[in-house]
Amino acid sequence: MISYTTALLYAIPFFMLLMALEIAYGYFVKKQMYTVLDTVSSISSGFTNIIKDSLGIGLLIVSYPFLVKHLALFNIGNSWGVWLIGFLFIDFAGYWNHRLSHKINIFWNQHVIHHSSEEFNLSCALRQSISNLIGYVPLLLLPAALLGVPEQVIAVLAPLHLFAQFWYHTRHIGKLGWLEYVIVTPSQHRVHHAINPEYIDKNLGQIFSFWDRLFGTFQEELDDVPPQYGVLKPAATWNPVHINFQHFWRLVQDAWYTKSIWDKIRIWFMPTGWRPADVKEKYPIAIIEDVYAFKRYTTEASKLFKGYILFQMFATLGLMLFLFYNFENIGFGAALLYGVFIFIGIYGYTTLMDRKKYALTIEVVRSILGIAYLIIQNGWFGMQTYFTGATSVILSYFLITITATVYFSLLEKEFFNSKIVA
């Protein structure tokens, strides 16, 4: 877990830099692919995933070290070839995990967050799940375990494999010639994220594109079929926690309401989107039918509001980086409390982005509890030992949060409402 955290310390600033460059490029060529609220929602989703994974929250069915220890038939050593073989096996497992996520109802819940944005840019890559609480991916690495690929190789390659999937979430790069036959490219991944009937559930590869060609899931980006992004059952929220569990909650409701015992059981393992006939008729859910003419989700946001939301996002990033840089010094128990605080903060300001009334309660209570922790502990998780004035900075953050949330919840929202009515 520490090695994963270390990798993130390098990856997060690099990802933020690449997003800044894409935003700048879009501005100069007058083809901007970013909106503030969607981007903050994407990045905030990444924050929740990073914290969840770093704290090891979830249940692993079986670990890869266990598999390789008890099932290895060979010992292939630790040469450069092992690293290549290990990477291929990780990508092969990734393809099938990805395919299961698109094809099975319960598994779609852990992946829908990644497709939930109605934009397509580098920030979409950060929309990663926190609902994958039961880990089964090591089972898909069984071939690697049988060959005896060392666990240290998999541990190093797994985060690199994940990070290598970041760059192709862009609309600014066209087709790449012969590389289209070897690796997953931006063109191929635009197809994957599209909701056009021609593109649904295609291009499931993660690094290498030949898996899709081999197993019949490849689709080229067509000039006369411009990709449209999102999910057919729109998320209609900026809150990444809600998006993570929306599909699961629908499954729970359908399983509860259906009168068929068999449907209550099989709904979880049926193809993605399947619903019992009686529930589907009585409780219809709106699905996008015309992908070129659907209303994309948006909420009222003044320039001041957007500026505040960006402030919250960067403040959260700073708090999170402090946690990672001092993970061992803070200790797991305190780090878990710290992670809960960040989760609640993300939930609070993204709920405010949705212009929900209860965002005021969440943010005010969170800030008051944060101030209480500052007073009781005489500091913020040891931050004051690193630079003078840390306590004042954190206190100011909470006071700004309270003031701004009151303003945007009670005053500016009233302005929006009166403006709309008029």
Side-chain angles (χ1 to χ4, degrees):
M1 188 263 289
I2 298 299
S3 60
Y4 179 69
T5 303
T6 303
L8 288 171
L9 291 177
Y10 291 98
I12 292 173
F14 182 64
F15 290 165
M16 299 294 280
L17 174 61
L18 288 179
M19 283 186 284
L21 290 174
E22 186 180 38
I23 292 171
Y25 178 79
Y27 174 80
F28 284 115
V29 301
K30 300 188 184 329
K31 194 176 180 181
Q32 189 57 263
M33 304 301 181
Y34 286 78
T35 62
V36 172
L37 298 188
D38 179 81
T39 302
V40 171
S41 179
S42 295
I43 295 173
S44 299
S45 173
F47 290 167
T48 61
N49 171 262
I50 289 167
I51 294 169
K52 177 249 181 188
D53 284 352
S54 297
L55 294 176
I57 299 173
L59 175 65
L60 190 63
I61 293 178
V62 62
S63 69
Y64 181 78
F66 177 87
L67 292 177
V68 76
K69 179 180 179 180
H70 295 280
L71 299 179
L73 301 177
F74 307 96
N75 183 3
I76 58 176
N78 199 18
S79 66
W80 67 268
V82 175
W83 293 85
L84 176 59
I85 292 171
F87 196 83
L88 282 170
F89 276 127
I90 289 173
D91 200 56
F92 181 72
Y95 170 84
W96 285 105
N97 178 49
H98 199 178
R99 188 161 178 168
L100 285 172
S101 295
H102 275 260
K103 296 297 185 179
I104 307 298
N105 245 342
I106 186 59
F107 294 145
W108 174 241
N109 185 74
Q110 70 181 6
H111 190 57
V112 64
I113 180 72
H114 187 64
H115 286 262
S116 58
S117 175
E118 294 169 350
E119 305 291 338
F120 187 74
N121 50 52
L122 290 176
S123 73
C124 293
L126 301 180
R127 291 195 176 222
Q128 299 293 326
S129 179
I130 60 171
S131 61
N132 53 343
L133 298 175
I134 299 179
Y136 60 87
V137 174
L139 291 173
L140 300 175
L141 286 168
L142 183 59
L146 292 173
L147 280 179
V149 176
E151 62 186 84
Q152 296 84 355
V153 171
I154 299 297
V156 171
L157 290 178
L160 295 178
H161 182 267
L162 176 64
F163 299 158
Q165 299 171 47
F166 179 81
W167 74 279
Y168 51 59
H169 291 80
T170 181
R171 283 182 272 177
H172 289 302
I173 299 175
K175 294 184 179 180
L176 298 177
W178 63 269
L179 285 175
E180 299 285 335
Y181 293 92
V182 182
I183 62 172
V184 175
T185 65
S187 175
Q188 293 174 24
H189 208 62
R190 287 192 290 270
V191 166
H192 176 69
H193 273 256
I195 56 175
N196 310 60
E198 298 88 342
Y199 296 154
I200 288 287
D201 296 337
K202 298 297 185 181
N203 298 355
L204 300 165
Q206 296 184 322
I207 299 300
F208 298 114
S209 62
F210 45 71
W211 304 124
D212 285 296
R213 298 178 187 276
L214 182 62
F215 297 113
T217 51
F218 181 78
Q219 173 59 55
E220 184 180 7
E221 185 178 21
L222 305 173
D223 293 336
D224 58 343
V225 185
Q228 304 299 306
Y229 305 106
V231 286
L232 291 175
K233 297 174 184 175
T237 177
W238 303 122
N239 189 319
V241 179
H242 285 176
I243 299 171
N244 264 280
F245 296 98
Q246 271 184 342
H247 183 67
F248 178 77
W249 180 238
R250 290 191 189 112
L251 293 178
V252 169
Q253 289 178 305
D254 284 356
W256 175 262
Y257 288 125
T258 185
K259 295 179 181 179
S260 169
I261 300 297
W262 175 232
D263 284 349
K264 290 178 184 293
I265 298 172
R266 68 171 177 159
I267 185 174
W268 307 97
F269 309 103
M270 291 296 285
T272 304
W274 182 90
R275 303 180 70 201
D278 57 340
V279 174
K280 188 176 181 179
E281 181 180 355
K282 191 174 182 179
Y283 303 99
I285 296 176
I287 298 177
I288 294 174
E289 295 182 356
D290 185 350
V291 300
Y292 298 105
F294 68 95
K295 187 176 181 181
R296 286 169 169 77
Y297 182 68
T298 186
T299 52
E300 294 281 3
S302 64
K303 290 183 178 179
L304 182 62
F305 182 74
K306 292 177 182 177
Y308 171 69
I309 292 302
L310 287 171
F311 162 77
Q312 278 290 351
M313 183 192 76
F314 282 111
T316 301
L317 174 62
L319 290 169
M320 195 170 68
L321 288 176
F322 174 77
L323 170 63
F324 289 151
Y325 275 111
N326 299 278
F327 200 95
E328 291 181 306
N329 294 332
I330 291 175
F332 180 76
L336 187 61
L337 176 62
Y338 199 131
V340 169
F341 169 81
I342 294 179
F343 260 94
I344 295 173
I346 292 170
Y347 189 94
Y349 71 73
T350 55
T351 299
L352 184 63
M353 288 162 58
D354 283 331
R355 311 303 286 188
K356 300 294 185 182
K357 292 181 180 179
Y358 59 87
L360 176 62
T361 302
I362 295 171
E363 288 292 77
V364 170
V365 170
R366 174 176 74 95
S367 298
I368 291 174
L369 290 175
I371 293 171
Y373 183 89
L374 273 175
I375 295 172
I376 294 172
Q377 298 293 327
N378 195 29
W380 187 256
F381 294 91
M383 187 181 290
Q384 65 278 3
T385 63
Y386 290 88
F387 67 95
T388 305
T391 301
S392 298
V393 169
I394 298 298
L395 177 61
S396 298
Y397 165 71
F398 287 129
L399 293 177
I400 290 172
T401 297
I402 293 173
T403 304
T405 305
V406 169
Y407 173 75
F408 290 119
S409 296
L410 302 179
L411 302 177
E412 189 180 72
K413 189 172 183 181
E414 288 302 315
F415 167 75
F416 281 141
N417 289 339
S418 63
K419 185 177 179 180
I420 293 171
V421 172

